[in-house]
Amino acid sequence: MAEKEILHINKLCIGYGKGKRAKVVHDQLQAKMFAGELVCLLGENGTGKSTLIRTICGFQPALGGEATLLGKDLLKLSEKELSKMASVVLTDRVIVPNATVEELVGLGRSPYTGTFGILNDEDKEIVHTSIEKCGILHKKKERLSNLSDGEKQKAFIAKALAQDTQIIILDEPTAFLDMPARVEIMQLLRQIASNSGKSVLMSTHDLDLALQMADKLWLLSADKGLLTGTPEDLLLRNEFQTIFQNKGIEFDNKTGLFRVGYDYNHEIPVKGHGFEYVLLRRAFARNGIKTIRKAEEDTTWLEVCKNGSTSFKYFQNGECVGQEETIENLLTLTLNNRG
Amino acid sequence: MIHKLGRISIVITLATLLLVFLVLLNLVLGSIHIPLSEIKAILFTGEEVNRIYENIILKTRLPQTIVSLGAGMALGVAGLLMQTLFRNPLAGPSVLGISSGSSLGVAFVMLFTGNILGFTFTSLGAWGDFAVVFSSLIGAALVLALILFISHRIGGTLSVLIIGVMIGYLSSSLVSLLKFYSPEEDVYNYVIWGLGSFSRLASERAMMFGLITVIPSILATFLSKSLNLLALGDRYASNLGLNIKRARFLIIAFSGFLTAIVTSFCGPIIFIGVAVPHLAKLLSKTSNHFYLILNAALLGAATALLCNLLARMPGMEQEMPINSVTAFIGAPVVIWVIWKRRKENRLE
């Protein structure tokens, strides 16, 4: 696949201030982005995600290095030129009295309109389809203040679409949203990247969603700088562990997802499999008990029984000493027996 | 779009009709009632009419009407510009400190010169009026230049706002110092100046005043695209291709100019600049500044005319100071707007 290079960051140095008092946040950042890609920028708070995003958007100057957007030096573009190449969705709280979804998305056409910002028929058509693509056509005439957080975010994404740029940059678009809304926004961005060939760069804290939906991940960490690659390659190279080490996050290579790291004080053998087993394991892990596979020589173990209805049995010295219907009761039984 | 445009054009038409109606009322009503037919004869046909009527209309009521209209329009537009630029519903033309600059200039001339040179300012007569306007313009221009310089060099909307407010405090402290050392008569005159008036300009000067307030107010619509973008916040605006620094400079210059002119010729007029933009937003229910500016201009002029009318209600011995009337009209409007928004559950 001949991929079209959209964004190229080369030895970029980001930070604040200038001259001697400059505070460098990151130096020697290296990354590339291609057409139609959804890229998620991950990193802990305070590692400079927002600084990187702001530098790429042209909101703050780079301290050194290069960044090219569609072959043009991003750091030297005027607002006018940049406005037709990159559109943004920010975390800034925007309060525009009286503004409707349609008016907001219409402002996305500003780089193309004249002195008074009047929309022509083509602009109106683009505004309409942008709103439609984001699935909020029924809210077209609604005031922004009457929208839910998820719908508001979609309205801003529609604004970015109307701006008709090759790249859309979003700063934590899923923050403050509930789980279904997060998934919806991610799916929307995924569709935009896949269907329209636009590149989407977003910073996020939603590790699980990013792993599943992103084409590439950019991992930003204080000591390792910017690591890039497909989620799977990064997992194979075990890069996540080095970034989140000692932070109570573990990668579960059975599920391919991250989970909370537990402090275990006990172990208990369990016989069984399936969904019930997974849930049992989780409940016990939360209580500091690690479940292991039952070996032949174990005399004390738990068993998941599925004869019509599910039940859990507790074996001690090879004999069944208790049977429970719920995980809660089994947990109580186990903890009591252990003293 | 159609139903919204409908609402906007209805609001603008009604505001225009209201404005025309208030202009007529301002000419007709007063201590002496002058019938419409006489007014028509005086202004348009040039027929022979009652000399007294002609004098009242041409020398008093018409200049007052023009000045009220121009001042109200300018203040409404200037206030709207400031509220959008600072994204603050309490902002108004006075936040830049320009009216404070005017006041300080006037105080300096009225209070300080007399003190130093050993005469009371009132003894100057006609030269005094000229000196007041001149000093007021100088004071306003100096503050405007300072604010523009700050906005250009330092940037940042908030710093401009804070410096504007600080200039206000500084100048009022200087003014009270000047008052403290001045003869009673001068202080009294200064206080009267501070109460504002639409009746300080004679006919030709009133026409001039009308032109230099109405034309820039309408020209402010050229800023509407910038204002629409700035309402989204600086970053979104810049991402949509707006040169923030230039836009901010132009908006401050426009609003500052309008405020400076009005304050210099009418004194610091309060409340119209804060209340009218709210009224315009509430009635037109649009976020498009092209219509908001037109609306604020029409409603500002109408409000000022209403205040002028109330200030010289028939049956009163003396005209009331204009600022006491504007506060009575303006404060309830602001409270009403806040109340209405609270009810609609959008405290924006």
Side-chain angles (χ1 to χ4, degrees):
Chain A
M1 188 162 81
E3 285 181 299
K4 189 177 159 207
E5 189 181 283
I6 302 299
L7 179 67
H8 187 174
I9 293 172
N10 188 21
K11 295 178 183 165
L12 188 69
C13 178
I14 58 171
Y16 298 92
K18 45 182 151 180
K20 278 182 185 169
R21 282 192 296 171
K23 186 182 171 297
V24 175
V25 176
H26 278 289
D27 200 359
Q28 303 292 323
L29 297 181
Q30 205 74 34
K32 273 184 189 177
M33 223 177 135
F34 298 95
E37 269 187 351
L38 172 64
V39 174
C40 285
L41 172 61
L42 295 164
E44 289 176 73
N45 282 334
T47 45
K49 280 199 310 286
S50 295
T51 312
L52 178 59
I53 291 273
R54 283 202 288 266
T55 310
I56 297 174
C57 296
F59 296 146
Q60 68 183 70
L63 300 180
E66 298 167 0
T68 51
L69 188 60
L70 297 164
K72 287 187 183 163
D73 188 351
L74 184 69
L75 309 173
K76 289 189 183 127
L77 289 174
S78 72
E79 293 97 347
K80 264 220 152 62
E81 291 169 296
L82 197 57
S83 68
K84 293 178 185 174
M85 295 162 75
S87 51
V88 300
V89 176
L90 305 164
T91 46
D92 303 12
R93 226 173 90 80
V94 175
I95 300 164
V96 188
N98 291 336
T100 62
V101 172
E102 192 181 25
E103 285 176 334
L104 172 74
V105 179
L107 286 179
R109 297 300 298 163
S110 298
Y112 310 95
T113 57
T115 316
F116 288 102
I118 294 165
L119 303 179
N120 61 25
D121 288 346
E122 192 199 339
D123 292 320
K124 283 177 191 159
E125 182 62 37
I126 292 173
V127 167
H128 185 87
T129 47
S130 301
I131 297 174
E132 196 174 22
K133 274 181 195 161
C134 293
I136 46 170
L137 201 54
H138 57 296
K139 301 274 179 177
K140 191 175 170 184
K141 307 278 184 196
E142 196 73 55
R143 291 187 195 294
L144 290 178
S145 46
N146 296 343
L147 299 185
S148 71
D149 286 343
E151 288 165 342
K152 215 179 274 179
Q153 202 61 273
K154 284 182 191 167
F156 274 96
I157 293 172
K159 181 231 67 162
L161 277 180
Q163 213 174 326
D164 197 18
T165 56
Q166 178 57 52
I167 183 169
I168 299 177
I169 301 170
L170 306 96
D171 193 8
E172 300 198 19
T174 54
F176 314 116
L177 299 183
D178 59 15
M179 201 57 198
R182 280 167 195 235
V183 174
E184 245 184 294
I185 295 286
M186 281 294 253
Q187 276 172 335
L188 173 62
L189 294 171
R190 176 72 263 175
Q191 279 166 14
I192 289 170
S194 304
N195 300 344
S196 66
K198 292 178 191 297
S199 310
V200 179
L201 169 64
M202 60 179 281
S203 67
T204 180
H205 285 293
D206 283 318
L207 209 53
D208 283 355
L209 286 174
L211 279 173
Q212 295 176 63
M213 318 265 285
D215 293 303
K216 300 270 175 63
L217 295 182
W218 291 7
L219 298 182
L220 194 60
S221 68
D223 27 294
K224 292 191 118 187
L226 192 60
L227 299 165
T228 63
T230 62
E232 294 72 23
D233 283 330
L234 290 169
L235 285 171
L236 285 176
R237 276 162 31 205
N238 214 15
E239 299 287 11
F240 288 97
Q241 298 297 39
T242 47
I243 284 186
F244 295 116
Q245 63 190 175
N246 307 325
K247 296 282 160 78
I249 301 171
E250 285 175 5
F251 185 69
D252 188 336
N253 45 16
K254 285 201 188 69
T255 57
L257 293 172
F258 285 86
R259 61 175 168 78
V260 182
Y262 299 105
D263 293 325
Y264 296 112
N265 339 315
H266 306 292
E267 283 186 352
I268 193 159
V270 177
K271 192 175 162 189
H273 54 83
F275 186 51
E276 293 80 2
Y277 169 71
V278 173
L279 293 180
L280 183 138
R281 200 171 78 145
R282 194 151 83 188
F284 275 65
R286 193 164 57 232
N287 285 277
I289 304 170
K290 187 174 185 177
T291 50
I292 51 174
R293 286 268 156 208
K294 179 188 173 294
E296 278 300 316
E297 63 276 12
D298 288 327
T299 55
T300 300
W301 75 88
L302 300 172
E303 197 168 322
V304 181
C305 309
K306 283 191 281 192
N307 309 321
S309 66
T310 307
S311 66
F312 304 94
K313 285 179 179 168
Y314 188 92
F315 288 85
Q316 213 162 22
N317 302 321
E319 287 173 34
C320 176
V321 294
Q323 183 168 358
E324 296 293 349
E325 301 285 316
T326 64
I327 292 179
E328 184 182 349
N329 291 341
L330 179 70
L331 195 59
T332 321
L333 179 70
T334 315
L335 290 172
N336 286 343
N337 279 346
R338 291 203 153 248
Chain B
M1 204 68 193
I2 289 161
H3 79 280
K4 282 198 71 188
L5 263 182
R7 185 188 177 102
I8 290 161
S9 38
I10 289 171
V11 169
I12 288 187
T13 315
L14 286 180
T16 314
L17 289 177
L18 179 70
L19 184 59
V20 172
F21 179 64
L22 281 165
V23 166
L24 290 178
L25 276 188
N26 264 278
L27 294 176
V28 171
L29 295 181
S31 48
I32 298 169
H33 176 84
I34 301 176
L36 264 179
S37 54
E38 299 278 331
I39 291 168
K40 193 178 144 202
I42 294 165
L43 292 183
F44 301 110
T45 51
E47 286 167 40
E48 220 22 52
V49 286
N50 188 331
R51 252 296 152 76
I52 300 169
Y53 283 177
E54 194 176 327
N55 261 332
I56 291 177
I57 290 292
L58 291 182
K59 295 223 166 116
T60 316
R61 289 193 191 168
L62 187 63
Q64 244 183 53
T65 306
I66 293 171
V67 172
S68 313
L69 188 145
M73 196 172 267
L75 290 175
V77 172
L80 176 66
L81 262 49
M82 290 297 98
Q83 284 183 7
T84 301
L85 180 69
F86 294 119
R87 276 172 233 115
N88 187 332
L90 280 180
S94 60
V95 292
L96 291 176
I98 287 168
S99 35
S100 310
S102 277
S103 306
L104 185 59
V106 171
F108 195 78
V109 168
M110 273 194 178
L111 307 175
F112 192 66
T113 44
N115 244 341
I116 292 294
L117 304 175
F119 56 85
T120 57
F121 185 76
T122 30
S123 60
L124 281 178
W127 276 104
D129 289 345
F130 174 75
V132 166
V133 170
F134 188 71
S135 59
S136 172
L137 274 176
I138 295 281
L142 284 178
V143 172
L144 181 57
L146 180 66
I147 292 281
L148 286 174
F149 175 75
I150 288 162
S151 107
H152 189 69
R153 287 300 291 271
I154 303 176
T157 309
L158 195 61
S159 49
V160 172
L161 182 64
I162 291 171
I163 287 166
V165 172
M166 288 306 124
I167 288 174
Y169 283 129
L170 270 179
S171 73
S172 65
S173 128
L174 282 174
V175 167
S176 48
L177 206 65
L178 285 170
K179 276 185 193 164
F180 186 75
Y181 289 110
S182 299
E184 217 169 291
E185 208 185 337
D186 281 351
V187 174
Y188 176 77
N189 280 325
Y190 177 75
V191 169
I192 295 293
W193 178 83
L195 291 174
S197 166
F198 292 142
S199 47
R200 288 186 192 140
L201 295 172
S203 37
E204 299 91 46
R205 286 210 210 144
M207 278 308 283
M208 274 300 293
F209 178 84
L211 287 179
I212 55 174
T213 46
V214 171
I215 292 173
S217 299
I218 303 299
L219 285 181
T221 49
F222 278 95
L223 295 171
S224 54
K225 187 177 172 184
S226 303
L227 288 163
N228 287 340
L229 291 177
L230 276 175
L232 290 177
D234 288 359
R235 286 191 184 143
Y236 274 120
S238 120
N239 179 251
L240 286 165
L242 186 72
N243 183 335
I244 302 280
K245 263 193 169 177
R246 216 188 73 192
R248 189 162 48 208
F249 189 89
L250 280 175
I251 291 167
I252 292 176
F254 243 89
S255 173
F257 172 79
L258 290 172
T259 314
I261 293 294
V262 173
T263 314
S264 299
F265 289 97
C266 308
I269 306 290
I270 55 170
F271 261 113
I272 290 184
V274 181
V276 164
H278 286 294
L279 210 55
K281 284 178 214 166
L282 193 74
L283 292 178
S284 61
K285 289 213 190 299
T286 176
S287 65
N288 188 342
H289 278 77
F290 182 77
Y291 301 113
L292 284 179
I293 288 173
L294 290 181
N295 224 340
L298 291 170
L299 291 171
T303 309
L305 285 168
L306 180 66
C307 291
N308 190 49
L309 203 62
L310 293 175
R312 49 146 225 246
M313 287 236 273
M316 278 194 313
E317 294 259 320
Q318 222 186 341
E319 274 184 29
M320 281 192 285
I322 205 73
N323 269 341
S324 47
V325 183
T326 55
F328 264 100
I329 301 276
V333 166
V334 174
I335 293 170
W336 176 55
V337 166
I338 301 288
W339 182 259
K340 189 131 193 293
R341 277 199 191 154
R342 192 197 60 94
K343 274 212 294 208
E344 288 174 20
N345 199 18
R346 1 180 219 111
L347 272 171
E348 293 173 342

